[in-house]
Amino acid sequence: MSDLGKIDRQFFDRRVAPNLGADRDDVALGPRHGVDFGVLEIGGKALVTATDPVSIMPQLGLERAARFALDLVLADVAVSGIPPSHLSICFTLPETMTDDEFATVWETIHEECVDLGVAVVTGHTARYSDPSHPWVGAATAMAVGDPDAIVRPDGARPGDRLLLTTGPAVESVGLLSTLFGDQLEERLPTDVIIDAQDRLEEVYCVRDALAAAAAGPVTAMHDVTEGGLAGALNEMADGAGVRFSVDSEAVPMRPGVREVCESLEIDPWAATSSGSLLLAVDPEGVDDVMAALEDRDTVVSEIGAVETGTDDDGEVLVDGDRLAHPTVDPSWRAYAELADSASE
């Protein structure tokens, strides 16, 4: 089991997967390692659901922090291709958060939910003595739709093309350069830091996921979170039991990302990058999906292809060499080191 971040597949398979409560016929897709969502089939409809922590970073500004937190929660449902429709949210607030501050967070979430057509159906809000920022609760997103319209996380097929939006490490670089800009000024030019901070405007992927699914056919979709692009590639390939063949030169790298990662000794392919989507797309739909994303001013590139695998677990080859799933997200270490230096 990893020290930080998500549990690894071995722990999941040994300790979690055998212990999932009662067997029910309405569970069409239950928990699987690396899979973003579960599915219930009820009365001919699919209920897609996913649960995530709620992270609020006041240093980003409360409105931006709230939008970021909500997009992270809704993204795991949106990658199913079914628009998020309902939200259950729990806040375990630190004592230091004032009523006015929480009101700003809540009103921002409300406005974004209205725009996306998401209704809040239940929740819990309270202050406690132990919680602290950024982890202030958890939420469950839901979507109701046609079971046949779901984009399965394990649906990649030989012959599909691989698309990537935005690029690796965008979230990590955007957050670290915004939270610790003063420390980075000692290492990097000002214009590079500004470019890196601008990456925070690219950490939202819910609308991109829905636009891509509508333009499809998209056969599989995964948001690039903990473990970064390397993790997302391995999880999608493993789920489908196929080989992903990736051209590293085709992978987009946004301004400021490479420089900040080199300065902090972060492998950008292993660092969390919310806002980036990895998609497997039927060849006939590639042009339409790319056009739909580009119409939203979203950077998107074709980075490789899906091939028949050599074993049931799948594999990822980058420029012909096997790419392993990261054992730890390097952005956690960088955050800790910068936070320690800021407090000195």
Side-chain angles (χ1 to χ4, degrees):
M1 183 173 179
S2 59
D3 294 329
L4 288 172
K6 295 178 182 177
I7 60 173
D8 59 36
R9 181 172 180 174
Q10 289 73 26
F11 185 89
F12 177 86
D13 290 343
R14 186 173 69 254
R15 298 295 188 183
V16 178
N19 303 294
L20 296 175
D23 291 328
R24 292 186 55 94
D25 293 338
D26 53 3
V27 179
L29 177 63
R32 298 184 186 180
H33 188 262
V35 173
D36 298 307
F37 56 84
V39 181
L40 302 179
E41 289 192 5
I42 305 170
K45 290 284 189 179
L47 172 63
V48 182
T49 181
T51 299
D52 275 295
V54 172
S55 171
I56 298 291
M57 296 185 177
Q59 307 96 310
L60 302 181
L62 289 174
E63 291 183 5
R64 182 163 63 172
R67 281 187 61 222
F68 182 34
L70 180 65
D71 199 87
L72 282 172
V73 169
L74 298 182
D76 279 354
V77 162
V79 295
S80 74
I82 307 296
S85 55
H86 301 84
L87 180 69
S88 170
I89 191 164
C90 168
F91 284 102
T92 53
L93 303 173
E95 292 179 295
T96 55
M97 193 170 202
T98 69
D99 288 355
D100 286 344
E101 288 171 337
F102 178 69
T104 297
V105 168
W106 184 252
E107 288 162 8
T108 301
I109 288 173
H110 157 73
E111 291 167 2
E112 189 74 352
C113 282
V114 169
D115 191 61
L116 288 166
V118 174
V120 178
V121 292
T122 188
H124 172 91
T125 306
R127 287 193 184 91
Y128 297 95
S129 58
D130 291 334
S132 60
H133 293 296
W135 307 111
V136 296
T140 296
M142 293 162 272
V144 179
D146 181 354
D148 294 333
I150 291 175
V151 177
R152 293 268 309 197
D154 54 359
R157 306 167 303 189
D160 288 344
R161 310 303 296 175
L162 295 172
L163 305 184
L164 180 69
T165 70
T166 308
V170 165
E171 176 198 355
S172 294
V173 165
L175 286 174
L176 293 173
S177 61
T178 299
L179 297 174
F180 304 108
D182 290 344
Q183 289 95 309
L184 290 180
E185 284 181 356
E186 302 171 3
R187 314 181 188 199
L188 295 167
T190 300
D191 60 336
V192 170
I193 296 173
I194 292 172
D195 282 341
Q197 292 171 342
D198 286 345
R199 302 286 67 79
L200 272 187
E201 298 307 311
E202 299 176 337
V203 297
Y204 308 102
C205 69
V206 169
R207 291 171 178 84
D208 285 345
L210 299 178
V218 175
T219 59
M221 186 160 37
H222 196 7
D223 58 335
V224 181
T225 53
E226 289 173 62
L229 177 58
L233 286 164
N234 275 281
E235 288 166 4
M236 271 182 57
D238 285 350
V242 295
R243 176 191 293 140
F244 283 1
S245 181
V246 177
D247 174 8
S248 64
E249 293 297 320
V251 172
M253 194 70 69
R254 301 294 292 140
V257 169
R258 193 183 307 277
E259 295 89 340
V260 170
C261 285
E262 288 178 353
S263 173
L264 298 176
E265 298 181 347
I266 291 174
D267 175 1
W269 283 48
T272 184
S273 190
S274 296
S276 297
L277 288 171
L278 177 64
L279 306 98
V281 182
D282 184 286
E284 294 184 358
V286 168
D287 289 344
D288 289 340
V289 170
M290 293 186 73
L293 291 165
E294 288 166 353
D295 284 347
R296 290 188 35 76
D297 294 326
T298 297
V299 172
V300 58
S301 296
E302 183 176 333
I303 65 168
V306 182
E307 302 171 349
T308 301
T310 57
D311 55 57
D312 292 338
D313 291 335
E315 63 178 346
V316 179
L317 300 181
V318 178
D319 303 332
D321 295 325
R322 188 152 191 170
L323 177 70
H325 194 299
T327 57
V328 66
D329 191 312
S331 65
W332 291 85
R333 172 195 52 77
Y335 180 93
E337 291 176 356
L338 289 168
D340 286 344
S341 67
S343 64
E344 291 177 356

